[in-house]
Amino acid sequence: NFRHNAFDISLAPVGDDRNEGGGFVQDEIFLSNRFRWVVGGRLDKFSSIDDPLFSPRTTFMVKPDPAQTFRVSFNRAFRAPSYINNHIDTAILNEINLGAISSALARFVFPIRAVGNPDLKQESMTAYEVGYTGVIRNRATVTAAFYYNVTDDGIFFTPDRFYSTGAPPPGLPPVIVGALASLNPPVLLPSRFTYLNLGTIKDKGFEAGVDAAVNRYVNVFANYSYQAKPIAENLPPPSTINDINWPPKNRFNVGFDFSYTRFLGNLSVNYTDEAYWQDVLDARYAGTTDAFALVNAGIG
């Protein structure tokens, strides 16, 4: 496949197009009735990245009987920098509450420049998975999997320059910038944001689920997933684990659906644990979301 993109975006006035092309080949090898091996690879070239990128994938499956499958898989994938990642050039207004210094002071609005980074590398992920799928008595499908992902050079929107007493925001006295920096924890006012490749992030977790027919009219399901807190390595200073997002640790879904004569319906409950989100302006806007539950029902 080949794609040519033409852009006319006011937030990214530098640059106007991008080309991307690639191809893949895959084969499923039947070694025997019990063993199968899927092998494949993809080669891509983006005009925004210097070198072609190769993405391999393979899965080895063991079927002790037709209703049971164990699998071990490996694959590598990538995400190219977006046009905005490379070329954004705009101004953002931020604000700071100066009441922490003196109650006589009010909120102060200051500008931040957001610029793209044409030298970004691709974000790549290497994934490993061990899984199982089985059908029990032709009524229930059971799944389970453990995964381990390693993401290199993740692309994050992050500050790379800050105002100082020698170069304060327009209209803000240098002494106030110094007072903010002396607080515990210090409050630093970013003057510029850009997109950077940040180190290595390691994720792991497992998921399990069951989907079963109670009878010819009613079907029930339940699934659960757990993801450990990411491990960050080789982050360039001053970046820390707080400069990346953390997914919810626990998530589960449970429910049923039915279809009887002319009537149908469903009910489900979905729960998502708290997550950490940082990808908005500076650290004052980062933090954890609330855990939440959704209850959905329908009838017809």
Side-chain angles (χ1 to χ4, degrees), residues 6 24 46 49 76 105 120 127 139 153-154 172 194 211 216-217 225 234-236 242 249 264 276 282:
F24 75 93
F46 284 64
I49 301 175
R76 181 174 294 127
L105 298 176
L120 284 172
R139 296 176 67 92
D153 298 316
L172 190 66
T194 189
D211 193 322
R216 60 183 297 187
Y217 308 114
S225 66
N234 303 319
L235 296 180
N242 293 326
K249 181 179 291 186
L264 56 89
Y276 175 80
D282 55 76

Side-chain angles (χ1 to χ4, degrees), residues 97-107:
N97 185 0
L98 301 178
I101 300 176
S102 171
S103 59
L105 298 176
R107 294 182 179 273

Side-chain angles (χ1 to χ4, degrees), residues 23-26 38-44 52-59 73-80 122-129 148-153 200:
F24 75 93
V25 60
Q26 179 173 298
V38 178
V39 182
R42 180 179 178 95
L43 188 67
D44 291 276
L53 300 171
F54 178 65
S55 304
R57 61 174 298 184
T58 184
T59 301
S73 65
F74 161 84
N75 72 81
R76 181 174 294 127
F78 75 94
R79 180 173 73 88
Q122 70 279 2
E123 175 181 313
S124 62
M125 183 179 74
T126 304
Y128 309 86
E129 184 180 52
Y148 178 70
N149 299 333
V150 179
T151 302
D152 291 305
D153 298 316
T200 298

Side-chain angles (χ1 to χ4, degrees), residues 54-226:
F54 178 65
S55 304
R57 61 174 298 184
T58 184
T59 301
F60 186 74
M61 292 175 283
V62 179
K63 297 178 68 68
D65 63 66
Q68 315 287 324
T69 302
F70 296 88
R71 68 183 185 278
V72 178
S73 65
F74 161 84
N75 72 81
R76 181 174 294 127
F78 75 94
R79 180 173 73 88
S82 71
Y83 184 80
I84 292 295
N85 294 159
N86 288 140
H87 300 298
I88 188 173
D89 190 353
T90 189
I92 303 172
L93 291 180
N94 199 349
E95 70 173 14
I96 179 71
N97 185 0
L98 301 178
I101 300 176
S102 171
S103 59
L105 298 176
R107 294 182 179 273
F108 177 78
V109 177
F110 61 97
I112 299 174
R113 189 181 177 202
V115 298
N117 183 354
D119 298 322
L120 284 172
K121 296 185 291 185
Q122 70 279 2
E123 175 181 313
S124 62
M125 183 179 74
T126 304
Y128 309 86
E129 184 180 52
V130 178
Y132 166 79
T133 301
V135 178
I136 301 174
R137 295 185 178 181
N138 293 321
R139 296 176 67 92
T141 300
V142 178
T143 60
F146 171 81
Y147 62 89
Y148 178 70
N149 299 333
V150 179
T151 302
D152 291 305
D153 298 316
I155 299 172
F156 294 93
F157 190 56
T158 186
D160 69 333
R161 295 182 185 177
F162 296 86
Y163 289 109
S164 65
T165 54
L172 190 66
V175 64
I176 295 182
V177 178
L180 291 171
S182 65
L183 295 176
N184 187 20
V187 176
L188 303 178
L189 303 182
S191 62
R192 192 179 83 163
F193 271 72
T194 189
Y195 290 93
L196 297 175
N197 294 109
L198 297 182
T200 298
I201 310 299
K202 297 180 178 180
D203 295 291
K204 62 182 177 181
F206 69 87
E207 51 194 31
V210 60
D211 193 322
V214 177
N215 52 44
R216 60 183 297 187
Y217 308 114
V218 179
N219 190 76
V220 298
F221 67 88
N223 56 70
Y224 169 78
S225 66
Y226 169 85

Side-chain angles (χ1 to χ4, degrees), residues 240-289:
T240 68
I241 185 67
N242 293 326
D243 290 304
I244 65 171
N245 298 323
W246 311 346
K249 181 179 291 186
N250 299 286
R251 285 177 286 191
F252 74 80
N253 305 283
V254 61
F256 72 91
D257 58 78
F258 72 90
S259 177
Y260 179 74
T261 63
R262 298 172 58 189
F263 301 97
L264 56 89
N266 61 77
L267 173 69
S268 65
V269 179
N270 318 101
Y271 172 82
T272 300
D273 214 346
E274 65 181 21
Y276 175 80
W277 181 258
Q278 63 77 37
D279 200 16
V280 180
L281 295 180
D282 55 76
R284 293 176 296 131
Y285 297 89
T288 55
T289 62

